[in-house]
């Protein structure tokens, strides 16, 4: 059985509009694919009844409230929690856009590092990433054409890269996080997975009621992330090859030279995350002995972090935003590796989020683009980073990049 077989949202929406399929047929397709693959993938925590005639099948990460379904957050502490009485604000927004939740997808424990049971459809013996593992796997396997995630460090971009699908991390604050069990208020952002960037553009247009983002060649700064010393050779090659092809297709391409900026932001991010998590998840900190070692360590580290250390990290991030604006200048996006390499073998860890930390600290929108593979055929994703609030513009640039890298002509 082929597990990695994504389902195009753009094609589904077109078929629905032109009468070639129906919401009932979409529901049956989703249910059939879940029945076919779920025993191997373990992408879902709970399933809901799909209402005939309702809309596009959607997966919802299990830190996001869905009316009538418990929000268990991947934790034994929430095993007996009561069903949510209302949808999270972001679920309400997606329902209004025409999506209908099929249920809750697996998350790591409280969206941190302790893995859930989900496997990677592109490489079942390798991690799907975290913390939005279930949503990434559900899209990569074609169980649903759209699924919700969240990102505090690298919880959307990394799973997309590992599973070979596209994702969007929205600008911080673009939509409220009401009804989401978060870790760090100044870092938590909404995310969404789809098969391709063009599918993300379709989803964004429906969510915002704006026209599809216009594809156009961007002015690109290429970030090699050399100073972080984590990028593996196949991923380095993917970034280099992408930059070459984009330049040949007409994009303006230059090197991102301020590596010190990203080192500083990457160091500040975990300080802020730990400090805020210890306060946001104070109830869990009180029973830290019942948590996984990584989460307990995060919360204890945050509790021991002084307010001066926290404010210093916040100041570094504020200064970094000014410095990045100067670095970007007349450029539109930053292109770089979405993860150090392909998904690591094994299911006892979720991979390294270091290449997302700096961008997440700034609350910037990020698109993960699939399409490259390593010599073993495992997915390698690239990331495009845009300006805060420029989610639609970023998607337009990313659509152009996707088409060029796919070899399509304009």
């Amino acid at each position: 059985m082929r597990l990695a077989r994504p389902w195009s949202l753009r094609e589904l929406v077109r078929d629905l509009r032109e009468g070639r399929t129906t919401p009932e047929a979409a529901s049956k397709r989703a249910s059939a694919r879940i029945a076919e693959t779920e025993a191997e993938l373990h992408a879902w925590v709970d399933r809901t009844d799909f209402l005939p005639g309702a809309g596009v099948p959607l997966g919802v990460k299990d830190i996001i409230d869905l009316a009538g379904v418990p929000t268990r957050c991947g934790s034994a502490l929430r095993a007996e929690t009561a069903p949510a009485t209302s949808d999270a604000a972001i679920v309400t927004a997606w329902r209004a856009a025409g999506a209908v939740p099929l249920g809750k997808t697996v998350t790591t424990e409280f969206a941190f590092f302790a893995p859930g049971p989900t496997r990677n459809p592109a490489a079942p013996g390798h991690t799907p990433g975290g913390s939005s593992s279930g949503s990434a796997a559900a899209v990569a396997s074609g169980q649903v054409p759209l699924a919700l995630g969240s990102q505090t460090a690298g919880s959307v971009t990394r799973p997309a890269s590992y599973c070979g699908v596209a994702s969007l991390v929205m600008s911080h604050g673009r939509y409220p996080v009401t009804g989401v069990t978060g870790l760090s208020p100044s870092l938590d952002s909404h995310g969404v997975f789809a098969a391709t960037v063009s599918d993300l553009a379709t989803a964004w247009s429906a969510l915002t009621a704006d026209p599809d983002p216009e594809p156009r060649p961007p002015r690109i700064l290429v970030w090699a992330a050399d100073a972080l010393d984590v990028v593996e050779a196949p991923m380095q090659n993917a970034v280099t090859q992408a930059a070459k092809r984009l330049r040949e297709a007409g994009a303006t391409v230059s090197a991102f030279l301020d590596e010190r900026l990203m080192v500083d932001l990457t160091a500040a991010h975990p300080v802020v995350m730990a400090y805020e998590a210890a306060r946001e998840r104070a109830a869990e900190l009180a029973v830290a002995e019942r948590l996984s070692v990584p989460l307990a360590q995060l919360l204890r580290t945050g509790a021991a972090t002084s307010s001066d250390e926290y404010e210093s990290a916040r100041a570094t991030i504020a200064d970094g935003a000014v410095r990045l604006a100067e670095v970007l200048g007349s450029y539109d996006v930053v292109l770089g590796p979405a993860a150090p390499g392909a998904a690591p073998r094994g299911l006892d860890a979720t991979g390294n989020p270091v290449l997302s930390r700096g961008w997440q600290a700034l609350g910037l929108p990020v698109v993960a683009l699939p399409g490259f593979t390593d010599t073993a055929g495992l997915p390698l994703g690239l990331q495009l980073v845009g300006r805060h609030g420029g989610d639609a513009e970023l998607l337009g640039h990313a659509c152009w990049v996707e088409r060029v890298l796919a070899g399509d002509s304009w």
Side-chain angles (χ1 to χ4, degrees):
M1 181 200 312
R2 185 182 171 208
L3 295 177
R5 195 174 72 198
W7 179 2
S8 170
L9 175 68
R10 181 176 287 270
E11 291 178 6
L12 172 60
V13 170
R14 185 177 62 236
D15 289 346
L16 287 168
R17 286 174 177 168
E18 297 178 3
R20 286 190 295 272
T21 192
T22 65
E24 291 86 351
S27 173
K28 289 179 180 178
R29 173 173 170 173
S31 296
R33 186 60 177 164
I34 291 170
E36 181 184 15
T37 58
E38 182 60 11
E40 293 184 60
L41 290 181
H42 306 288
W44 297 84
V45 179
D46 282 296
R47 293 277 309 284
T48 59
D49 292 329
F50 191 93
L51 299 177
V56 170
L58 175 74
V60 178
K61 181 179 179 179
D62 193 26
I63 65 165
I64 302 170
D65 285 353
L66 181 60
V69 182
T71 303
R72 296 190 175 93
C73 301
S75 172
L77 296 180
R78 299 286 185 93
E80 303 302 323
T81 193
T85 57
S86 60
D87 287 335
I90 192 65
V91 174
T92 299
W94 281 109
R95 284 192 194 271
V100 175
L102 288 192
K104 307 295 284 291
T105 55
V106 171
T107 179
T108 60
E109 179 195 35
F110 286 102
F112 196 53
F113 282 153
T118 303
R119 292 177 175 268
N120 186 333
H126 297 243
T127 177
S131 60
S132 305
S133 50
S135 287
V139 168
S141 63
Q143 293 180 338
V144 290
L146 195 67
L148 306 188
S150 67
Q151 181 155 298
T152 308
S155 295
V156 170
T157 302
R158 189 168 81 261
S161 180
Y162 287 171
C163 294
V165 295
S167 69
L168 168 67
V169 178
M170 300 178 194
S171 294
H172 182 264
R174 181 62 178 81
Y175 282 88
V177 292
T178 309
V180 179
T181 303
L183 273 178
S184 176
S186 72
L187 301 174
D188 295 338
S189 297
H190 291 297
V192 60
F193 297 89
T196 67
V197 177
S198 65
D199 294 318
L200 291 175
T202 295
W204 184 258
S205 178
L207 181 66
T208 61
D210 291 335
D212 278 1
E214 179 183 355
R216 58 189 179 92
R219 297 161 295 180
I220 303 170
L221 287 177
V222 179
W223 177 54
D226 290 339
L228 297 179
D229 196 28
V230 297
V231 182
E232 301 165 11
M235 182 65 82
Q236 290 174 336
N237 183 61
V239 174
T240 299
Q241 290 301 312
K244 178 177 182 290
R245 288 157 63 180
L246 295 170
R247 182 182 291 110
E248 291 171 348
T252 301
V253 180
S254 301
F256 184 104
L257 297 177
D258 194 349
E259 287 283 354
R260 186 73 244 171
L261 166 61
M262 297 312 299
V263 170
D264 291 345
L265 289 169
T266 301
H269 174 279
V271 177
V272 171
M273 183 174 176
Y275 182 91
E276 293 185 358
R279 287 146 185 85
E280 190 78 357
R281 301 267 60 85
E284 288 73 32
L285 175 59
V287 290
E289 68 282 356
R290 298 176 60 189
L291 304 174
S292 68
V293 171
L295 182 56
Q297 183 176 354
L298 173 76
L299 300 183
R300 287 167 174 154
T301 297
T305 300
S306 70
S307 58
D308 286 346
E309 291 171 310
Y310 172 69
E311 292 301 336
S312 176
R314 288 291 301 252
T316 295
I317 293 169
D319 177 64
V322 175
R323 289 165 60 189
L324 181 63
E326 295 172 350
V327 169
L328 277 175
S330 60
Y331 288 85
D332 301 304
V333 297
V334 176
L335 170 71
R345 181 176 293 278
L347 301 173
D348 58 349
T350 63
N352 189 346
V354 66
L355 296 175
S356 291
R357 287 189 184 275
W359 310 116
Q360 194 63 26
L362 297 175
L364 302 180
V366 178
V367 168
L369 299 104
F372 286 88
T373 58
D374 67 5
T375 55
L378 298 179
L380 296 171
L382 305 182
Q383 60 177 329
L384 275 183
V385 184
R387 300 177 186 275
H388 190 274
D391 304 48
E393 292 79 6
L394 173 61
L395 282 166
H397 295 313
C399 285
W400 187 88
V401 169
E402 178 178 66
R403 287 184 60 177
V404 169
L405 295 181
D408 294 342
S409 60
W410 286 91

